[in-house]
Amino acid sequence: MHNAALELLGLEAQYEARDVIPEALKSALEQLVISGAWGCNLSIPHKEAALTQMHHLSPQAQAIGAVNTVLVKNGFFEGHNTDADGFMRSLEEAGVRVGQTSVVVLGAGGAARAVVYGLKHAGAEVLIWNRSSPRAESLAQEFQARAIETSELPASIQNAAGLVNTTSVGLENPDDSPIADDWLPQDWVCDIVYRPLETRLLRVAKAAKRRTIDGLGMLVYQGANAFELWTGQSPDIKVMRQAAMAVLEKL
Ligand code: NAP
């Protein structure tokens, strides 16, 4: 999606994937400077480890505790996090106004940190459930949210306006769902898993007439925000989305 947007703007640059083992993060970042790169995105497991490698952190990267976008500026590294804005833009696009409603977040991993941050900033009451509850408790404490136990989950979901799945359940298996099919919130369901785009959770929610938001919007918007940081230009969202879809359909 980045290459499609770069080409459309006539920018002579290329976005490439690199496999980097944890021990090689520092040297891979140094290589960015040597090669004259504008920056990079970081994925699991580098997002948290990169915090200490940055010369400057954006307030969001600092608050979320993870860097997904690095900007190289005069040989120095600026660490940003575009996941929270990307997630919130995908909700807005679907017409969801979070306001002071109640939202249940499933999962407490790296992606959940950005999702909880975005929801709390929008004013929502956030309830966090995770398979291993100590992780939910520490995330809840950090972001002034509330951790819930499995026994509280069905009622919490049914009383909430929205539900977000940030666990990797559903990833690559369209028949898996993190919850029972009849545990649905009142208004909307978002599954940030994007492979497949229509997970079981979203299929069931759609059939029950809830608004559904898949993971493509978050993926595209976090990418668009990163693109703006690197190039100073706004990418064509439609072109990025089409390019991402074309790849995801082949997976
Ligand atoms: P992560 O840090 O590894 O966290 C994984 C989460 O899933 C943890 O909460 C883990 O619970 C939970 N989990 C894993 N297997 C489970 C199971 N069988 N049952 C219940 N919970 C389970 O990963 P992440 O970076 O947060 O990513 C999570 C998902 O979000 C992935 O599918 C990823 O592709 C997607 N994602 C999408 C976007 C986007 O732009 N749309 C962006 C980022 C991530 P425990 O703590 O108990 O292990």
Side-chain angles (χ1 to χ4, degrees):
M1 66 183 177
H2 284 292
N3 286 330
L6 287 166
E7 200 182 319
L8 193 74
L9 287 168
L11 295 169
E12 283 192 24
Q14 206 180 332
Y15 186 96
E16 299 169 349
R18 294 255 197 285
D19 264 334
V20 177
I21 56 168
E23 301 76 42
L25 175 64
K26 192 169 189 285
S27 60
L29 287 168
E30 282 163 2
Q31 197 54 42
L32 288 180
V33 181
I34 295 164
S35 64
W38 295 337
C40 69
N41 281 133
L42 296 170
S43 189
I44 299 173
H46 301 301
K47 289 184 181 186
E48 279 111 26
L51 285 170
T52 56
Q53 308 287 331
M54 300 293 112
H55 299 100
H56 173 76
L57 285 173
S58 73
Q60 285 202 345
Q62 190 136 34
I64 295 166
V67 171
N68 81 327
T69 303
V70 178
L71 177 62
V72 180
K73 251 192 188 170
N74 305 319
F76 292 101
F77 300 127
E78 253 185 44
H80 294 260
N81 192 306
T82 65
D83 280 335
D85 278 354
F87 167 69
M88 293 309 292
R89 277 178 82 177
S90 76
L91 292 189
E92 279 161 31
E93 184 183 55
V96 171
R97 301 277 170 268
V98 168
Q100 285 166 358
T101 60
S102 164
V103 180
V104 173
V105 174
L106 306 173
R113 299 184 68 82
V115 165
V116 171
Y117 172 90
L119 291 169
K120 283 296 296 182
H121 263 247
E125 181 205 10
V126 180
L127 309 177
I128 306 170
W129 172 87
N130 195 51
R131 175 177 61 176
S132 29
S133 54
R135 238 179 145 185
E137 276 155 27
S138 82
L139 185 62
Q141 204 166 18
E142 221 178 308
F143 290 95
Q144 281 99 47
R146 187 157 80 79
I148 49 173
E149 296 294 332
T150 304
S151 58
E152 300 173 81
L153 192 55
S156 300
I157 293 176
Q158 279 149 10
N159 289 329
L163 172 71
V164 189
N165 175 41
T166 76
T167 75
S168 39
V169 177
L171 181 67
E172 283 164 7
N173 190 346
D175 290 328
D176 282 352
S177 176
I179 53 166
D181 286 349
D182 56 352
W183 298 356
L184 287 172
Q186 290 163 18
D187 186 10
W188 57 272
V189 176
C190 174
D191 196 335
I192 69 162
V193 166
Y194 51 80
R195 217 173 44 207
L197 272 182
E198 192 172 72
T199 56
R200 180 186 182 118
L201 177 64
L202 290 187
R203 254 198 333 272
V204 167
K206 201 179 277 178
K209 306 260 184 299
R210 303 302 193 274
R211 286 194 276 182
T212 57
I213 302 105
D214 64 33
L216 185 63
M218 177 175 177
L219 181 70
V220 170
Y221 284 122
Q222 64 75 30
N225 290 349
F227 188 101
E228 282 180 25
L229 287 166
W230 297 321
T231 67
Q233 298 194 48
S234 300
D236 186 316
I237 300 290
K238 213 168 134 196
V239 160
M240 287 185 89
R241 188 187 300 268
Q242 276 166 356
M245 270 295 271
V247 175
L248 289 173
E249 274 167 1
K250 280 192 223 139
L251 295 175

